[in-house]
Amino acid sequence: MTITGKIQKRLCAGAALAMLAAALLMPAQAAGAPHVTPDTTVAEMRANEGIMGSGVNTWDRGDLLPEQPWMYGHWTLRRFIGSTVEDGVAGLNLIIDNYNQGVQVTYPIYTPEEIAADPSLAEVELYYFPATQPGAKYALVLAGNMFERTSVVKEACGAVSQLHEMGYGAFILRYRIGRDLKDNANYKDLVRAVQFITENAEKFEVQAEDYALVGHSAGGQLCAIFGTDRMGYSNYGLPKPGALLLAYPIINYMYSKPAFFYLYDGAEPGDHLAPGDYYYNIEVAAEVSSDFPPTFQWYGRNDNTLKGIFFPLQSPALDRALEAHGVMHQMLVFDNAPHGSATGTGTDAEGWLYQAAAFWEQAVAARHAGG
């Protein structure tokens, strides 16, 4: 062997040793946080480096009745999520994949100064799921909530897994709930989220316009309010949504309104809000105009939650209003799709989000064609 060859051999050996040493010193992230499965427990999921490191908050309760560490920890994700577990797990694994690839997942949408003035704003977060290709349309997903509880893992994670599969960029909004709902806090969070994405569309590699709002239950009501002339997108100089995609939305809180007023706003309207302007007092069907975004919605006939607040004033009322004002719309009604069915897997609503995405594409095409 020549002297040059010996030198090259020694250099290669040294480089190999250096690479080995570097590999041993690499953080665990580089090796890749492991995926979760339906049989992973909730405690194991929350302890996963990819979930913890991403900053995603998987606790589903607010501050008034917080979820305690011993609650649900021993449950498997199969039990915690239910029949849509495969979709929810796929969404959780997207979070882990993005973390492993060095993608920033969690974004605060309020400034440090705003949070210092109102600490409840620290709870509000936006979770980012990049599209497979830059320049895609995006969907902002809102889970439902019941006073102190949300369904981010079940509803929102399942939805983003399917949206990602279809090639869209996606975001989950963790909005304020429970005792922090004073003065339309949750709706303000939605508005700020759309503002934040619009201002940072280039950074997120998504289109600023033609986006969809995907709302479940109470989250669906917030998305629908965003389409109104009274409180919606036009009041904030924001682009009109390409479509609203609503799963078992609450359109009218009916006799729950006084309870919300007392619980959240102390039964004393602020100077800046008339009683009718509180989000829970908005009867969306009565607020529809010709500028309302194209709307896809669905519910199940065995939805006992909507039955409890009078079916006819929910999706059917919104559907009639959309028809009367010439707004592009589609409503599906399933025999077996209880409230909280999320992606609908295991019910008659299975695949609804794919149908909704097709509607969204049709609505955007019609808009650009001048239809």
Side-chain angles (χ1 to χ4, degrees):
M1 182 179 290
T2 64
I3 294 176
T4 302
K6 290 179 180 178
I7 293 173
Q8 288 176 335
K9 185 176 180 180
R10 287 173 183 170
L11 288 173
C12 289
L17 287 171
M19 290 175 64
L20 178 60
L24 291 173
L25 293 173
M26 279 184 178
Q29 178 190 350
H35 278 182
V36 297
T37 74
D39 295 319
T40 300
T41 67
V42 172
E44 290 168 341
M45 176 269 290
R46 288 176 174 152
N48 183 290
E49 183 190 350
I51 299 298
M52 292 181 65
S54 71
V56 172
N57 189 326
T58 61
W59 297 87
D60 282 344
R61 286 189 182 273
D63 294 329
L64 185 61
L65 297 171
E67 207 168 48
Q68 300 301 323
W70 60 84
M71 295 175 67
Y72 310 112
H74 65 287
W75 286 20
T76 64
L77 291 175
R78 191 185 307 281
R79 182 181 178 189
F80 185 70
I81 297 175
S83 64
T84 61
V85 63
E86 296 290 348
D87 304 314
V89 163
L92 291 169
N93 286 333
L94 274 178
I95 295 171
I96 294 169
D97 288 342
N98 287 329
Y99 170 79
N100 286 336
Q101 293 163 15
V103 174
Q104 180 179 343
V105 176
T106 300
Y107 288 82
I109 59 176
Y110 291 102
T111 66
E113 294 76 19
E114 289 171 318
I115 293 171
D118 181 358
S120 74
L121 299 178
E123 302 170 23
V124 185
E125 295 173 331
L126 196 65
Y127 305 137
Y128 171 47
F129 299 79
T132 53
Q133 298 294 328
K137 291 192 287 294
Y138 79 86
L140 175 58
V141 181
L142 276 69
N145 73 83
M146 177 53 71
F147 296 104
E148 274 287 307
R149 180 146 192 190
T150 67
S151 296
V152 169
V153 174
K154 177 178 180 178
E155 291 176 334
C157 284
V160 296
S161 72
Q162 294 188 350
L163 289 162
H164 181 78
E165 178 187 323
M166 290 184 274
Y168 299 110
F171 299 84
I172 293 173
L173 173 63
R174 183 173 187 261
Y175 56 88
R176 284 172 285 177
I177 60 172
R179 67 179 181 183
D180 294 320
L181 277 181
K182 184 177 176 64
D183 289 343
N184 288 348
N186 52 0
Y187 184 68
K188 292 176 182 176
D189 296 341
L190 169 57
V191 172
R192 175 58 71 93
V194 178
Q195 290 172 329
F196 186 83
I197 298 169
T198 302
E199 292 166 1
N200 292 281
E202 185 175 348
K203 174 181 179 179
F204 291 129
E205 297 185 319
V206 295
Q207 299 176 27
E209 298 186 350
D210 297 330
Y211 60 96
L213 298 182
V214 181
H216 305 78
S217 188
Q221 192 243 12
L222 296 177
C223 294
I225 292 175
F226 194 77
T228 66
D229 292 340
R230 182 176 186 168
M231 293 174 63
Y233 62 93
S234 62
N235 293 273
Y236 303 95
L238 290 168
K240 180 179 181 178
L244 305 180
L245 312 179
L246 312 179
Y248 39 90
I250 295 174
I251 300 303
N252 188 332
Y253 274 100
M254 289 290 290
Y255 36 76
S256 302
K257 296 172 187 175
F260 283 114
F261 194 34
Y262 277 90
L263 282 171
Y264 299 143
D265 291 290
E268 295 183 4
D271 294 336
H272 60 296
L273 280 177
D277 289 330
Y278 287 95
Y279 81 92
Y280 43 77
N281 283 334
I282 299 295
E283 299 179 2
V284 178
E287 301 290 338
V288 171
S289 72
S290 59
D291 288 326
F292 201 86
T295 301
F296 176 102
Q297 58 171 334
W298 70 269
Y299 68 93
R301 290 190 174 91
N302 61 341
D303 187 323
N304 291 327
T305 298
L306 294 181
K307 284 181 183 178
I309 48 176
F310 197 53
F311 255 146
L313 292 184
Q314 305 307 324
S315 286
L318 178 58
D319 192 63
R320 290 192 298 271
L322 295 168
E323 179 69 25
H325 287 86
V327 177
M328 182 177 176
H329 64 287
Q330 182 177 357
M331 182 176 73
L332 301 180
V333 183
F334 303 103
D335 289 332
N336 175 34
H339 206 77
S341 292
T343 55
T345 301
T347 75
D348 293 346
E350 185 165 348
W352 73 265
L353 191 50
Y354 297 94
Q355 294 175 273
F359 172 89
W360 175 18
E361 293 293 343
Q362 292 167 7
V364 170
R367 175 186 175 190
H368 288 291

